[in-house]
Amino acid sequence: MKKTLNLLRSLFMATAGMAVVVAALYELDILPSGVLVDRPQDEFLWTIAMELVTIVLIPTALRLFKTKDVERRLDEGNVKAFKTWSVVRILMITLPLLANTLLYYLFMNTTFGYMALILLICLPFIYPATRK
């Protein structure tokens, strides 16, 4: 179980850290920001898509371990199920975080930045820990 927790924590830190690295690259002007500012149609489509993804995935990820099927599997002590569902849960928050961070710097639209901040606030709630 300790090996599984270390793997999950590494995945958590790596995927969340990737968003920090993307932000640092843009803030230090290593990557050019605002490249897609002149494409309002694309910005609209990405905004709608990421709003829907963010609105759906946050509550789903936070309540994932409370669903009957997942909770039953975890109560059985199945480490493989815990690992699988934990990876899914981590990716449900960190991948949209990374996408919103990247889209913020590509379009320079604060909507993406706010969604990334909301996802960032959700990170402590999905940190891999043992059940007590």
Side-chain angles (χ1 to χ4, degrees):
M1 184 67 166
K2 188 171 184 172
K3 184 178 177 182
T4 301
L5 279 175
N6 287 337
L7 175 74
L8 292 172
R9 288 176 182 155
S10 298
L11 175 68
F12 180 87
M13 293 298 180
T15 53
M18 286 169 49
V20 173
V21 168
V22 166
L25 290 173
Y26 279 106
E27 288 296 329
L28 295 172
D29 289 328
I30 295 171
L31 295 174
S33 58
V35 175
L36 300 177
V37 168
D38 59 340
R39 299 181 62 143
Q41 294 88 359
D42 292 340
E43 180 179 349
F44 174 75
L45 292 174
W46 276 109
T47 302
I48 295 300
M50 290 311 297
E51 284 174 348
L52 289 173
V53 165
T54 303
I55 288 171
V56 169
L57 289 183
I58 288 174
T60 305
L62 294 177
R63 298 284 302 164
L64 184 65
F65 284 179
K66 294 296 181 185
T67 60
K68 290 180 184 177
D69 185 45
V70 175
E71 191 170 29
R72 180 181 47 81
R73 290 182 185 184
L74 294 178
D75 286 340
E76 293 171 356
N78 189 345
V79 177
K80 186 175 180 182
F82 174 72
K83 180 179 172 182
T84 302
W85 287 111
S86 294
V87 167
V88 168
R89 186 180 195 192
I90 291 168
L91 294 178
M92 287 172 78
I93 296 292
T94 56
L95 290 182
L97 171 65
L98 181 60
N100 278 316
T101 304
L102 185 61
L103 289 168
Y104 168 73
Y105 286 106
L106 289 176
F107 290 108
M108 294 308 293
N109 183 345
T110 56
T111 303
F112 297 116
Y114 292 137
M115 287 188 288
L117 285 174
I118 291 168
L119 289 160
L120 197 61
I121 291 169
C122 294
L123 284 179
F125 297 106
I126 62 160
Y127 185 76
T130 57
R131 197 180 227 190
K132 294 189 179 188

